[in-house]
Amino acid sequence: MAQKPSIPKGTRDFSPIEMARRNYIFDTIKKSFRLFGYKQIETPAMENLSTLMGKYGEEGDKLLFKILNSGDFMKSVSDEDYAEKNLPRLTNKMCEKGLRYDLTVPFARFVVQHRNDLSLPFKRFQIQPVWRADRPQKGRYREFYQCDADVVGSDSLNNEIELLALIDKVFQDLGINITIKVNNRKILAGIAEVLNASDKIVDITVAIDKIDKIGIENVNAELVEKGLSEEAIEKLRPILELSGTNEEKLAVIKEILKDSAEGMKGIEEMEEVLGGIDALGHKCKIEADLSLARGLNYYTGTIIEVKAQDVEIGSITGGGRYDNLTGVFGMPGLSGVGISFGADRIYDVMNQLNLYPEEISESVRVMFVNFGKAEAQQCLKYVKALREAGVPAELYPDAVKLKKQMSRADEDHIPFVAIVGETELQDGTIMLKNMISGTQEKLTIDEVIMAVK
Amino acid sequence: MAQKPSIPKGTRDFSPIEMARRNYIFDTIKKSFRLFGYKQIETPAMENLSTLMGKYGEEGDKLLFKILNSGDFMKSVSDEDYAEKNLPRLTNKMCEKGLRYDLTVPFARFVVQHRNDLSLPFKRFQIQPVWRADRPQKGRYREFYQCDADVVGSDSLNNEIELLALIDKVFQDLGINITIKVNNRKILAGIAEVLNASDKIVDITVAIDKIDKIGIENVNAELVEKGLSEEAIEKLRPILELSGTNEEKLAVIKEILKDSAEGMKGIEEMEEVLGGIDALGHKCKIEADLSLARGLNYYTGTIIEVKAQDVEIGSITGGGRYDNLTGVFGMPGLSGVGISFGADRIYDVMNQLNLYPEEISESVRVMFVNFGKAEAQQCLKYVKALREAGVPAELYPDAVKLKKQMSRADEDHIPFVAIVGETELQDGTIMLKNMISGTQEKLTIDEVIMAVK
């Protein structure tokens, strides 16, 4: 029976033009990954659930796509299990595998599993899809690509400086104006410490983030509600009112944090990172920003977030330093730092600003019209010569009406159409039509190759 | 708790060197796909099970990886369902989605779903992983890549000629000597028809295939067993004994098939295809071979199979013409022809024959040694200059012992190491060491760029 075909919600097909655009973004990112010495790896789409479960919090466990065991998937399910209808337990008995949820956990698993074959520090990049059973909504998909670059096995802040240089280069190449925001978890921890509120590091960071939207009075009211003392709130004020250059901001924070060893360490780190990238030079804006709260539960040092300046959209790239990536897999003490380019949001930004170069297209340069068997046979030889010269070319396969062939060339935005009719067949020429200007010329194949290249 | 990490059986991690090799293969294939005018698409890893089920036979249905529904996957399972333990029924109630099994069914679904946006004939290529719950064994994986190129919406045999030219070019570029075997289902059907055994087309084809291995007497004995008449077996003899050039073979077959319209049509098609590719010229061997039995249940015309000449391995590429790809999705009458490059087997062949170009590597060209903060800051500027010149370069991130840094450069097969110590820092030079010859030279950054490019 005929079915009306569709795809699962939250997933997408990519058409040739979409692919051309996405390839442009991925290729641009990849080119810089390679220039910076990151090496590509790939891991399987399916990981053992024992690798994935418990790594993304309770909510994350629910958002994993689980694969039903092949064969008799009911064999471990007892009548009691069924009667109890405990979904996690049933899942555990029927499913051993799940789809990867991000590239970080598989990377950690990879590092530990292949530890004897890797030379540290190991710089890897990975560009693969991930899957999350999130509720689909605008800009949020159940299958999407991540583009990650990480260094493990090195504590040096040179890695952070290099990552900022990498971000600067990628977005410069793409033509997107960005601001990189830099924070450091140790500074946040220091602030919480000097306020005697070490357990409230997240609340304090969220408060700093809200200051522009709701004003200092409302922020302070919220902090009171969260249980922060009046004295602490007063001490926090200069941080909430932070402004000026990165140096000016750091000077204010330094004064407040002078009694927190961790806080001072964070400032030192940030000064080295910002000083390093400034010494190197950069096109983008780089801003110390204490309101960055991303990944506070796993980042341990530098935190990085990238915003597009000309489009209202969330962060388009992010990352940071984590101190114990592989501990959960039995390999403690390995520090790492990495970033993840948000390919789908970058794609949205590129589309909105129309930043693709003109020549991006999956179309051939030349389409030969098909007038019948003898002409087609000759055209295939010309097509072959063009391809050997590196020019994508094709013959319209069927000898149908000229109009139909031309309209297909038009729809596909093919820039040149080549016509070999009876006359051209006899005198060994090609009528080359420029589809943009509408002009046409009688040329030899060598001249065609020159003309379309 | 620490876990010993592993990946699901039948799946693989790809290390940087493996990725470099696989990318070389994929990039070579992609380059030709584009030169030939095929346009890339991608489809989601997950398809609705209604799209996938029933398309690969009963065995195929079992080999699909099914995704457990998110949320309450038990909500449609009744006590009766549970008691009955009918696995397909339970699967149907707990799972709506599965992982794609090949690229052909998703492509058919894509064509029908996007029919209004496609201009026909539509030439697409697609390179993505597929998943099958097959028993893993040497060279057979549960996750593997397919590289498909198909044209739909054209009956012209020019498409077949072009596909043969494409195969010839790809393997020439890869450096693999191949034989392309070409068959046509209509010829097989014609043979079965003139033998009055149209239902035995598969048995007859299998018999033709076995002739070299078991000899004509054993083949004939098997055919008797399958119910073929003595008369039919006698008539088949010249086909079993077929030899010589393609022309000689076709002459023999033509004589036998003269009373079968379908058979004669098949011969005519094969003559046009073989004549067309011969007129165009090709490096590989192309052979008419009636023993090709691949895809007999869906191919309707030309059947193509590629064997490596220098390695004992199954077919490394295959394809053919199918007349009703999209019928099952409600769009009848669309003819197509396509091929699929077997990336994993090609990878095995390339590895066995060591056919990769020397320069394939994920390594940077130059690694700068790190002697401490001041030197590192200068080195990062040099690294930046190299990258701007298109040369992958890096700074060793940590100022650890020289020996450790050098041994990492060695392990990673980095061809040049750059040393900037106190002296070089003062006089603005770089000591460049060639890791292969062992020689070293004191150079400026511009000279380094020239030297390593």
Side-chain angles (χ1 to χ4, degrees), chain B residues 15-28 174 343 346-347 350-352 354-357 360-362:
Chain B
S15 70
I17 180 67
E18 289 166 332
M19 282 306 299
R21 290 173 173 180
R22 293 174 69 83
N23 282 336
Y24 173 72
I25 296 170
F26 289 130
D27 290 346
T28 302
L174 290 174
I346 293 172
Y347 179 67
M350 298 284 294
N351 284 344
Q352 270 191 58
N354 197 17
L355 293 177
Y356 302 102
I360 279 196
S361 149
E362 283 279 306

PDB file of all heavy atoms in Angstrom, chain B residues 15-28 174 343 346-347 350-352 354-357 360-362:
ATOM      1  N   SER B  15      40.605   6.136  14.616  1.00  0.00           N
ATOM      2  CA  SER B  15      41.695   6.968  15.117  1.00  0.00           C
ATOM      3  C   SER B  15      42.071   7.999  14.059  1.00  0.00           C
ATOM      4  O   SER B  15      41.637   7.897  12.904  1.00  0.00           O
ATOM      5  CB  SER B  15      42.901   6.083  15.414  1.00  0.00           C
ATOM      6  OG  SER B  15      43.431   5.609  14.193  1.00  0.00           O
ATOM      7  N   PRO B  16      42.883   8.995  14.419  1.00  0.00           N
ATOM      8  CA  PRO B  16      43.267  10.017  13.432  1.00  0.00           C
ATOM      9  C   PRO B  16      43.855   9.431  12.149  1.00  0.00           C
ATOM     10  O   PRO B  16      43.476   9.867  11.048  1.00  0.00           O
ATOM     11  CB  PRO B  16      44.299  10.854  14.196  1.00  0.00           C
ATOM     12  CG  PRO B  16      43.823  10.790  15.614  1.00  0.00           C
ATOM     13  CD  PRO B  16      43.328   9.377  15.779  1.00  0.00           C
ATOM     14  N   ILE B  17      44.725   8.446  12.242  1.00  0.00           N
ATOM     15  CA  ILE B  17      45.320   7.924  11.003  1.00  0.00           C
ATOM     16  C   ILE B  17      44.269   7.177  10.173  1.00  0.00           C
ATOM     17  O   ILE B  17      44.211   7.291   8.944  1.00  0.00           O
ATOM     18  CB  ILE B  17      46.578   7.052  11.286  1.00  0.00           C
ATOM     19  CG1 ILE B  17      47.179   6.518   9.995  1.00  0.00           C
ATOM     20  CG2 ILE B  17      46.288   5.903  12.219  1.00  0.00           C
ATOM     21  CD1 ILE B  17      47.768   7.588   9.118  1.00  0.00           C
ATOM     22  N   GLU B  18      43.386   6.436  10.856  1.00  0.00           N
ATOM     23  CA  GLU B  18      42.298   5.766  10.138  1.00  0.00           C
ATOM     24  C   GLU B  18      41.367   6.792   9.481  1.00  0.00           C
ATOM     25  O   GLU B  18      40.925   6.612   8.345  1.00  0.00           O
ATOM     26  CB  GLU B  18      41.500   4.864  11.086  1.00  0.00           C
ATOM     27  CG  GLU B  18      42.279   3.622  11.512  1.00  0.00           C
ATOM     28  CD  GLU B  18      41.652   2.905  12.709  1.00  0.00           C
ATOM     29  OE1 GLU B  18      40.975   3.565  13.536  1.00  0.00           O
ATOM     30  OE2 GLU B  18      41.846   1.695  12.825  1.00  0.00           O
ATOM     31  N   MET B  19      41.089   7.875  10.212  1.00  0.00           N
ATOM     32  CA  MET B  19      40.238   8.927   9.639  1.00  0.00           C
ATOM     33  C   MET B  19      40.891   9.553   8.410  1.00  0.00           C
ATOM     34  O   MET B  19      40.218   9.828   7.418  1.00  0.00           O
ATOM     35  CB  MET B  19      39.972  10.022  10.686  1.00  0.00           C
ATOM     36  CG  MET B  19      38.925   9.682  11.717  1.00  0.00           C
ATOM     37  SD  MET B  19      37.324   9.180  11.025  1.00  0.00           S
ATOM     38  CE  MET B  19      36.854  10.636  10.104  1.00  0.00           C
ATOM     39  N   ALA B  20      42.200   9.787   8.491  1.00  0.00           N
ATOM     40  CA  ALA B  20      42.894  10.403   7.355  1.00  0.00           C
ATOM     41  C   ALA B  20      42.746   9.518   6.121  1.00  0.00           C
ATOM     42  O   ALA B  20      42.506   9.998   5.011  1.00  0.00           O
ATOM     43  CB  ALA B  20      44.361  10.631   7.687  1.00  0.00           C
ATOM     44  N   ARG B  21      42.871   8.213   6.331  1.00  0.00           N
ATOM     45  CA  ARG B  21      42.752   7.282   5.203  1.00  0.00           C
ATOM     46  C   ARG B  21      41.320   7.207   4.680  1.00  0.00           C
ATOM     47  O   ARG B  21      41.089   7.196   3.466  1.00  0.00           O
ATOM     48  CB  ARG B  21      43.222   5.895   5.638  1.00  0.00           C
ATOM     49  CG  ARG B  21      44.707   5.867   5.851  1.00  0.00           C
ATOM     50  CD  ARG B  21      45.197   4.568   6.431  1.00  0.00           C
ATOM     51  NE  ARG B  21      46.664   4.586   6.449  1.00  0.00           N
ATOM     52  CZ  ARG B  21      47.422   3.608   6.901  1.00  0.00           C
ATOM     53  NH1 ARG B  21      46.864   2.508   7.384  1.00  0.00           N
ATOM     54  NH2 ARG B  21      48.727   3.712   6.883  1.00  0.00           N
ATOM     55  N   ARG B  22      40.380   7.137   5.608  1.00  0.00           N
ATOM     56  CA  ARG B  22      38.979   7.078   5.185  1.00  0.00           C
ATOM     57  C   ARG B  22      38.562   8.378   4.488  1.00  0.00           C
ATOM     58  O   ARG B  22      37.873   8.352   3.472  1.00  0.00           O
ATOM     59  CB  ARG B  22      38.067   6.779   6.370  1.00  0.00           C
ATOM     60  CG  ARG B  22      38.280   5.369   6.919  1.00  0.00           C
ATOM     61  CD  ARG B  22      37.491   5.127   8.188  1.00  0.00           C
ATOM     62  NE  ARG B  22      36.060   5.074   7.960  1.00  0.00           N
ATOM     63  CZ  ARG B  22      35.402   4.001   7.549  1.00  0.00           C
ATOM     64  NH1 ARG B  22      36.045   2.873   7.342  1.00  0.00           N
ATOM     65  NH2 ARG B  22      34.106   4.038   7.372  1.00  0.00           N
ATOM     66  N   ASN B  23      39.018   9.500   5.027  1.00  0.00           N
ATOM     67  CA  ASN B  23      38.709  10.776   4.371  1.00  0.00           C
ATOM     68  C   ASN B  23      39.271  10.811   2.962  1.00  0.00           C
ATOM     69  O   ASN B  23      38.644  11.366   2.049  1.00  0.00           O
ATOM     70  CB  ASN B  23      39.284  11.947   5.175  1.00  0.00           C
ATOM     71  CG  ASN B  23      38.430  12.277   6.395  1.00  0.00           C
ATOM     72  OD1 ASN B  23      37.241  11.973   6.426  1.00  0.00           O
ATOM     73  ND2 ASN B  23      39.033  12.882   7.396  1.00  0.00           N
ATOM     74  N   TYR B  24      40.456  10.240   2.787  1.00  0.00           N
ATOM     75  CA  TYR B  24      41.051  10.221   1.453  1.00  0.00           C
ATOM     76  C   TYR B  24      40.138   9.462   0.480  1.00  0.00           C
ATOM     77  O   TYR B  24      39.878   9.917  -0.634  1.00  0.00           O
ATOM     78  CB  TYR B  24      42.439   9.580   1.507  1.00  0.00           C
ATOM     79  CG  TYR B  24      43.057   9.379   0.147  1.00  0.00           C
ATOM     80  CD1 TYR B  24      43.523  10.458  -0.594  1.00  0.00           C
ATOM     81  CD2 TYR B  24      43.158   8.109  -0.418  1.00  0.00           C
ATOM     82  CE1 TYR B  24      44.077  10.278  -1.851  1.00  0.00           C
ATOM     83  CE2 TYR B  24      43.706   7.914  -1.677  1.00  0.00           C
ATOM     84  CZ  TYR B  24      44.161   9.008  -2.388  1.00  0.00           C
ATOM     85  OH  TYR B  24      44.698   8.835  -3.631  1.00  0.00           O
ATOM     86  N   ILE B  25      39.624   8.330   0.933  1.00  0.00           N
ATOM     87  CA  ILE B  25      38.721   7.541   0.084  1.00  0.00           C
ATOM     88  C   ILE B  25      37.418   8.307  -0.178  1.00  0.00           C
ATOM     89  O   ILE B  25      36.990   8.469  -1.323  1.00  0.00           O
ATOM     90  CB  ILE B  25      38.422   6.170   0.736  1.00  0.00           C
ATOM     91  CG1 ILE B  25      39.707   5.345   0.825  1.00  0.00           C
ATOM     92  CG2 ILE B  25      37.342   5.423  -0.038  1.00  0.00           C
ATOM     93  CD1 ILE B  25      39.581   4.079   1.653  1.00  0.00           C
ATOM     94  N   PHE B  26      36.793   8.800   0.899  1.00  0.00           N
ATOM     95  CA  PHE B  26      35.524   9.519   0.728  1.00  0.00           C
ATOM     96  C   PHE B  26      35.711  10.765  -0.143  1.00  0.00           C
ATOM     97  O   PHE B  26      34.880  11.067  -1.001  1.00  0.00           O
ATOM     98  CB  PHE B  26      34.940   9.918   2.086  1.00  0.00           C
ATOM     99  CG  PHE B  26      34.407   8.755   2.881  1.00  0.00           C
ATOM    100  CD1 PHE B  26      34.770   8.564   4.205  1.00  0.00           C
ATOM    101  CD2 PHE B  26      33.530   7.849   2.314  1.00  0.00           C
ATOM    102  CE1 PHE B  26      34.282   7.490   4.946  1.00  0.00           C
ATOM    103  CE2 PHE B  26      33.026   6.772   3.047  1.00  0.00           C
ATOM    104  CZ  PHE B  26      33.407   6.595   4.368  1.00  0.00           C
ATOM    105  N   ASP B  27      36.796  11.496   0.084  1.00  0.00           N
ATOM    106  CA  ASP B  27      37.016  12.727  -0.680  1.00  0.00           C
ATOM    107  C   ASP B  27      37.231  12.423  -2.164  1.00  0.00           C
ATOM    108  O   ASP B  27      36.784  13.181  -3.031  1.00  0.00           O
ATOM    109  CB  ASP B  27      38.217  13.506  -0.124  1.00  0.00           C
ATOM    110  CG  ASP B  27      37.915  14.117   1.241  1.00  0.00           C
ATOM    111  OD1 ASP B  27      36.723  14.170   1.614  1.00  0.00           O
ATOM    112  OD2 ASP B  27      38.854  14.541   1.930  1.00  0.00           O
ATOM    113  N   THR B  28      37.941  11.331  -2.434  1.00  0.00           N
ATOM    114  CA  THR B  28      38.169  10.935  -3.828  1.00  0.00           C
ATOM    115  C   THR B  28      36.843  10.592  -4.505  1.00  0.00           C
ATOM    116  O   THR B  28      36.567  11.026  -5.629  1.00  0.00           O
ATOM    117  CB  THR B  28      39.107   9.710  -3.881  1.00  0.00           C
ATOM    118  OG1 THR B  28      40.334  10.047  -3.229  1.00  0.00           O
ATOM    119  CG2 THR B  28      39.387   9.286  -5.305  1.00  0.00           C
ATOM    120  N   LEU B 174      41.932   6.210  -7.153  1.00  0.00           N
ATOM    121  CA  LEU B 174      42.381   5.519  -5.936  1.00  0.00           C
ATOM    122  C   LEU B 174      43.575   4.605  -6.217  1.00  0.00           C
ATOM    123  O   LEU B 174      44.273   4.201  -5.287  1.00  0.00           O
ATOM    124  CB  LEU B 174      41.224   4.688  -5.339  1.00  0.00           C
ATOM    125  CG  LEU B 174      40.070   5.472  -4.712  1.00  0.00           C
ATOM    126  CD1 LEU B 174      38.942   4.528  -4.313  1.00  0.00           C
ATOM    127  CD2 LEU B 174      40.533   6.271  -3.485  1.00  0.00           C
ATOM    128  N   ALA B 343      32.585   1.362   0.951  1.00  0.00           N
ATOM    129  CA  ALA B 343      33.713   2.091   1.537  1.00  0.00           C
ATOM    130  C   ALA B 343      34.595   1.192   2.400  1.00  0.00           C
ATOM    131  O   ALA B 343      35.825   1.285   2.353  1.00  0.00           O
ATOM    132  CB  ALA B 343      33.193   3.271   2.347  1.00  0.00           C
ATOM    133  N   ILE B 346      36.664  -1.140   0.217  1.00  0.00           N
ATOM    134  CA  ILE B 346      37.673  -0.338  -0.499  1.00  0.00           C
ATOM    135  C   ILE B 346      38.811   0.017   0.458  1.00  0.00           C
ATOM    136  O   ILE B 346      39.990  -0.062   0.109  1.00  0.00           O
ATOM    137  CB  ILE B 346      37.027   0.931  -1.100  1.00  0.00           C
ATOM    138  CG1 ILE B 346      36.044   0.536  -2.213  1.00  0.00           C
ATOM    139  CG2 ILE B 346      38.080   1.890  -1.636  1.00  0.00           C
ATOM    140  CD1 ILE B 346      35.198   1.673  -2.752  1.00  0.00           C
ATOM    141  N   TYR B 347      38.425   0.359   1.678  1.00  0.00           N
ATOM    142  CA  TYR B 347      39.412   0.669   2.732  1.00  0.00           C
ATOM    143  C   TYR B 347      40.323  -0.538   2.967  1.00  0.00           C
ATOM    144  O   TYR B 347      41.556  -0.402   3.035  1.00  0.00           O
ATOM    145  CB  TYR B 347      38.625   1.040   3.991  1.00  0.00           C
ATOM    146  CG  TYR B 347      39.426   1.369   5.221  1.00  0.00           C
ATOM    147  CD1 TYR B 347      40.222   2.512   5.278  1.00  0.00           C
ATOM    148  CD2 TYR B 347      39.345   0.560   6.352  1.00  0.00           C
ATOM    149  CE1 TYR B 347      40.928   2.823   6.420  1.00  0.00           C
ATOM    150  CE2 TYR B 347      40.040   0.871   7.503  1.00  0.00           C
ATOM    151  CZ  TYR B 347      40.830   2.009   7.536  1.00  0.00           C
ATOM    152  OH  TYR B 347      41.516   2.309   8.686  1.00  0.00           O
ATOM    153  N   MET B 350      42.669  -0.853  -0.061  1.00  0.00           N
ATOM    154  CA  MET B 350      43.688   0.207  -0.033  1.00  0.00           C
ATOM    155  C   MET B 350      44.764  -0.105   1.014  1.00  0.00           C
ATOM    156  O   MET B 350      45.950   0.113   0.778  1.00  0.00           O
ATOM    157  CB  MET B 350      43.042   1.554   0.316  1.00  0.00           C
ATOM    158  CG  MET B 350      42.010   2.069  -0.652  1.00  0.00           C
ATOM    159  SD  MET B 350      42.672   2.765  -2.183  1.00  0.00           S
ATOM    160  CE  MET B 350      43.549   4.206  -1.569  1.00  0.00           C
ATOM    161  N   ASN B 351      44.317  -0.618   2.170  1.00  0.00           N
ATOM    162  CA  ASN B 351      45.272  -0.958   3.232  1.00  0.00           C
ATOM    163  C   ASN B 351      46.175  -2.107   2.799  1.00  0.00           C
ATOM    164  O   ASN B 351      47.390  -2.057   2.992  1.00  0.00           O
ATOM    165  CB  ASN B 351      44.536  -1.337   4.517  1.00  0.00           C
ATOM    166  CG  ASN B 351      43.975  -0.125   5.236  1.00  0.00           C
ATOM    167  OD1 ASN B 351      44.374   1.010   4.950  1.00  0.00           O
ATOM    168  ND2 ASN B 351      43.050  -0.349   6.148  1.00  0.00           N
ATOM    169  N   GLN B 352      45.563  -3.149   2.212  1.00  0.00           N
ATOM    170  CA  GLN B 352      46.360  -4.307   1.815  1.00  0.00           C
ATOM    171  C   GLN B 352      47.388  -3.956   0.756  1.00  0.00           C
ATOM    172  O   GLN B 352      48.506  -4.456   0.773  1.00  0.00           O
ATOM    173  CB  GLN B 352      45.440  -5.407   1.268  1.00  0.00           C
ATOM    174  CG  GLN B 352      44.970  -6.362   2.344  1.00  0.00           C
ATOM    175  CD  GLN B 352      44.300  -7.575   1.735  1.00  0.00           C
ATOM    176  OE1 GLN B 352      44.889  -8.296   0.939  1.00  0.00           O
ATOM    177  NE2 GLN B 352      43.070  -7.817   2.127  1.00  0.00           N
ATOM    178  N   ASN B 354      48.468  -0.899   0.219  1.00  0.00           N
ATOM    179  CA  ASN B 354      49.177   0.307   0.657  1.00  0.00           C
ATOM    180  C   ASN B 354      49.160   1.387  -0.424  1.00  0.00           C
ATOM    181  O   ASN B 354      50.204   1.851  -0.891  1.00  0.00           O
ATOM    182  CB  ASN B 354      50.614  -0.054   1.052  1.00  0.00           C
ATOM    183  CG  ASN B 354      51.257   1.047   1.878  1.00  0.00           C
ATOM    184  OD1 ASN B 354      50.552   1.915   2.413  1.00  0.00           O
ATOM    185  ND2 ASN B 354      52.568   1.026   1.982  1.00  0.00           N
ATOM    186  N   LEU B 355      47.960   1.783  -0.807  1.00  0.00           N
ATOM    187  CA  LEU B 355      47.794   2.679  -1.948  1.00  0.00           C
ATOM    188  C   LEU B 355      47.643   4.156  -1.565  1.00  0.00           C
ATOM    189  O   LEU B 355      47.374   4.983  -2.421  1.00  0.00           O
ATOM    190  CB  LEU B 355      46.568   2.242  -2.767  1.00  0.00           C
ATOM    191  CG  LEU B 355      46.697   0.894  -3.477  1.00  0.00           C
ATOM    192  CD1 LEU B 355      45.395   0.540  -4.180  1.00  0.00           C
ATOM    193  CD2 LEU B 355      47.841   0.923  -4.493  1.00  0.00           C
ATOM    194  N   TYR B 356      47.812   4.468  -0.271  1.00  0.00           N
ATOM    195  CA  TYR B 356      47.620   5.862   0.126  1.00  0.00           C
ATOM    196  C   TYR B 356      48.823   6.711  -0.271  1.00  0.00           C
ATOM    197  O   TYR B 356      49.962   6.273  -0.153  1.00  0.00           O
ATOM    198  CB  TYR B 356      47.402   5.957   1.634  1.00  0.00           C
ATOM    199  CG  TYR B 356      46.224   5.151   2.096  1.00  0.00           C
ATOM    200  CD1 TYR B 356      46.402   3.926   2.704  1.00  0.00           C
ATOM    201  CD2 TYR B 356      44.926   5.611   1.882  1.00  0.00           C
ATOM    202  CE1 TYR B 356      45.325   3.162   3.098  1.00  0.00           C
ATOM    203  CE2 TYR B 356      43.842   4.849   2.275  1.00  0.00           C
ATOM    204  CZ  TYR B 356      44.039   3.626   2.890  1.00  0.00           C
ATOM    205  OH  TYR B 356      42.975   2.880   3.273  1.00  0.00           O
ATOM    206  N   PRO B 357      48.573   7.937  -0.719  1.00  0.00           N
ATOM    207  CA  PRO B 357      49.700   8.830  -0.988  1.00  0.00           C
ATOM    208  C   PRO B 357      50.461   9.107   0.319  1.00  0.00           C
ATOM    209  O   PRO B 357      49.855   9.110   1.400  1.00  0.00           O
ATOM    210  CB  PRO B 357      49.041  10.114  -1.490  1.00  0.00           C
ATOM    211  CG  PRO B 357      47.581   9.880  -1.551  1.00  0.00           C
ATOM    212  CD  PRO B 357      47.272   8.572  -0.929  1.00  0.00           C
ATOM    213  N   ILE B 360      49.393  11.748   3.177  1.00  0.00           N
ATOM    214  CA  ILE B 360      48.180  11.604   3.983  1.00  0.00           C
ATOM    215  C   ILE B 360      48.534  11.489   5.444  1.00  0.00           C
ATOM    216  O   ILE B 360      49.187  10.538   5.859  1.00  0.00           O
ATOM    217  CB  ILE B 360      47.403  10.338   3.605  1.00  0.00           C
ATOM    218  CG1 ILE B 360      46.589  10.603   2.379  1.00  0.00           C
ATOM    219  CG2 ILE B 360      46.471   9.926   4.725  1.00  0.00           C
ATOM    220  CD1 ILE B 360      45.549   9.580   2.169  1.00  0.00           C
ATOM    221  N   SER B 361      48.083  12.424   6.210  1.00  0.00           N
ATOM    222  CA  SER B 361      48.375  12.399   7.633  1.00  0.00           C
ATOM    223  C   SER B 361      47.554  13.475   8.284  1.00  0.00           C
ATOM    224  O   SER B 361      47.194  14.465   7.661  1.00  0.00           O
ATOM    225  CB  SER B 361      49.858  12.666   7.852  1.00  0.00           C
ATOM    226  OG  SER B 361      50.053  13.323   9.070  1.00  0.00           O
ATOM    227  N   GLU B 362      47.235  13.292   9.528  1.00  0.00           N
ATOM    228  CA  GLU B 362      46.517  14.340  10.243  1.00  0.00           C
ATOM    229  C   GLU B 362      47.492  15.199  11.035  1.00  0.00           C
ATOM    230  O   GLU B 362      47.097  16.014  11.845  1.00  0.00           O
ATOM    231  CB  GLU B 362      45.474  13.724  11.169  1.00  0.00           C
ATOM    232  CG  GLU B 362      44.236  13.240  10.466  1.00  0.00           C
ATOM    233  CD  GLU B 362      43.243  14.362  10.171  1.00  0.00           C
ATOM    234  OE1 GLU B 362      42.857  15.073  11.096  1.00  0.00           O
ATOM    235  OE2 GLU B 362      42.860  14.511   9.000  1.00  0.00           O
TER     236      GLU B 362
END
